[in-house]
Amino acid sequence: MDADSMMAEVFDDGHYASTLGQKIKRSFQLGPKYYSFDIPRYLLGRRALKLPVFDWDALWSPLREFGQKRVNELPLPNGYPEVLGRLRDAGVRLTIPRHRLEGLLTIWWSTREVRGDVIECGSYRGATALLLALLGKINQIDQATLMLDTFAGMPQTSKYDVSRQPGEFLPPEGQVAVIRRQAESLGVADRTEIHQGLFHDSFRNLAGRRRSFAFVHIDANIYEGTLEACQFTIPRIVEGGAVVFDDYNGPCDLGARLAIEQFCAGQKIKLMPLAGSSVWARV
Ligand SMILES: C[S@@+](CC[C@H](N)C(=O)[O-])C[C@H]1O[C@@H](n2cnc3c(N)ncnc32)[C@H](O)[C@@H]1O
């Protein structure tokens, strides 16, 4: 099988706009609401949280949806194509768009000498975390990969999450058992931890265990979970480690953007563009 057919099998692009036509249609659906309702609400949110009110950069978010490339030149991890093939054989389907996934992988790979675990806050069906765990294994990186999610859909949203609903990202029933089986068949069960429930409950359980992280992926899409994830994980990142925020520039994710801005205010965290809606920072 050629590389393109294999990619088509392992990336499940059924739930987001992947073709140019779908993106144009989506921008016509989202654009008017984004500029006339979501942005004014977001700016009010900034004022309520005592952030500088204007944010020019947020005006570009719908256009970033058209970008199909990551913006860095960092290398992809050794063994990436082989690992995609193994994921496909194990029945794992990646639901994150390919350019965002590959952007994330370059940042994870850049932290490979840093001693610490990987934590993903917002794992949905677990595919991205399983990929990181398997890449870590074949490259002999000594780290666990933690997956945190309700695995039962998006929890209650806040007044800042104007385009997100509770219950979104509802995985098929029994998803945790499926992820466990996939981890077994990929040989990474001993390198993965599944923490099912609300983040703040999982963080309470993890807090006593002296965890430190080389790589953090924050992908919660909504205000509260994103803020909690920043507060727990970023202070635990080892020097030289990194964080990727999947949805900072997501046009439906202004609540998450607000949380990231709130957390970063007054801190020396420089957000850099990565791919489409995602940004990253070295800590
Ligand atoms: C976009 S999905 C994650 C996609 C995943 N990272 C991937 O690469 O396929 C966002 C997830 O965040 C989870 N989430 C958001 N807030 C949460 C919270 N406070 N506690 C637990 N899970 C949360 C939702 O349940 C949802 O599954």
Side-chain angles (χ1 to χ4, degrees):
M1 179 182 289
D2 64 40
D4 284 345
S5 324
M6 200 262 287
M7 293 288 180
E9 273 193 31
V10 76
F11 283 94
D12 170 5
D13 61 7
H15 68 293
Y16 56 83
S18 56
T19 65
L20 182 63
Q22 288 167 340
K23 282 174 196 286
I24 292 172
K25 187 168 165 215
R26 185 171 143 91
S27 63
F28 276 108
Q29 283 163 349
L30 287 181
K33 177 174 170 289
Y34 185 77
Y35 292 108
S36 63
F37 181 75
D38 298 357
I39 280 283
R41 291 279 298 268
Y42 167 69
L43 299 181
L44 288 174
R46 290 180 67 91
R47 192 171 70 179
L49 296 171
K50 302 199 171 16
L51 292 167
V53 172
F54 218 75
D55 178 3
W56 289 104
D57 192 52
L59 299 180
W60 293 102
S61 294
L63 297 175
R64 288 193 177 90
E65 296 273 293
F66 287 91
Q68 291 280 13
K69 287 198 162 54
R70 61 191 154 97
V71 298
N72 70 20
E73 301 278 315
L74 294 170
L76 283 161
N78 290 347
Y80 169 56
E82 171 201 334
V83 163
L84 281 184
R86 287 185 55 189
L87 252 56
R88 181 207 50 202
D89 296 344
V92 179
R93 295 291 171 269
L94 290 150
T95 50
I96 183 171
R98 183 174 162 190
H99 62 300
R100 292 222 302 270
L101 176 78
E102 293 184 351
L104 173 151
L105 292 179
T106 62
I107 305 304
W108 170 77
W109 186 235
S110 77
T111 65
R112 62 191 180 279
E113 306 288 337
V114 179
R115 283 191 71 82
D117 291 330
V118 169
I119 184 166
E120 182 179 62
C121 302
S123 289
Y124 183 39
R125 296 170 74 162
T128 304
L130 287 172
L131 172 61
L132 290 172
L134 186 52
L135 281 167
K137 179 175 175 164
I138 68 162
N139 286 293
Q140 293 165 359
I141 300 172
D142 180 19
Q143 65 186 184
T145 299
L146 283 63
M147 309 179 204
L148 277 68
D149 206 297
T150 61
F151 297 104
M154 192 78 90
Q156 198 55 50
T157 53
S158 75
K159 63 179 177 183
Y160 301 126
D161 303 301
V162 288
S163 294
R164 290 288 175 198
Q165 311 294 328
E168 277 184 68
F169 296 101
L170 179 67
E173 208 169 336
Q175 186 63 22
V176 171
V178 170
I179 299 172
R180 287 220 167 89
R181 274 201 302 277
Q182 291 172 333
E184 285 286 345
S185 83
L186 292 165
V188 294
D190 57 340
R191 303 175 60 96
T192 47
E193 292 177 26
I194 300 176
H195 297 269
Q196 181 173 17
L198 287 170
F199 292 157
H200 63 80
D201 294 328
S202 301
F203 293 148
R204 200 170 331 111
N205 294 333
L206 287 167
R209 297 200 222 157
R210 292 243 183 121
R211 303 301 291 242
S212 53
F213 304 114
F215 179 77
V216 171
H217 183 208
I218 298 182
D219 189 5
N221 300 73
I222 54 176
Y223 174 78
E224 201 170 295
T226 302
L227 185 62
E228 290 167 349
C230 291
Q231 289 166 336
F232 182 82
T233 61
I234 295 175
R236 289 173 169 80
I237 299 180
V238 181
E239 194 180 337
V243 52
V244 168
F245 299 100
D246 186 72
D247 37 32
Y248 178 76
N249 286 313
C252 295
D253 305 320
L254 286 164
R257 184 183 181 101
L258 208 46
I260 297 163
E261 292 267 309
Q262 185 183 351
F263 180 81
C264 293
Q267 301 216 32
K268 287 194 196 130
I269 297 178
K270 185 172 171 244
L271 299 179
M272 292 169 275
L274 186 53
S277 62
S278 67
V279 298
W280 74 286
R282 179 84 59 204
V283 177

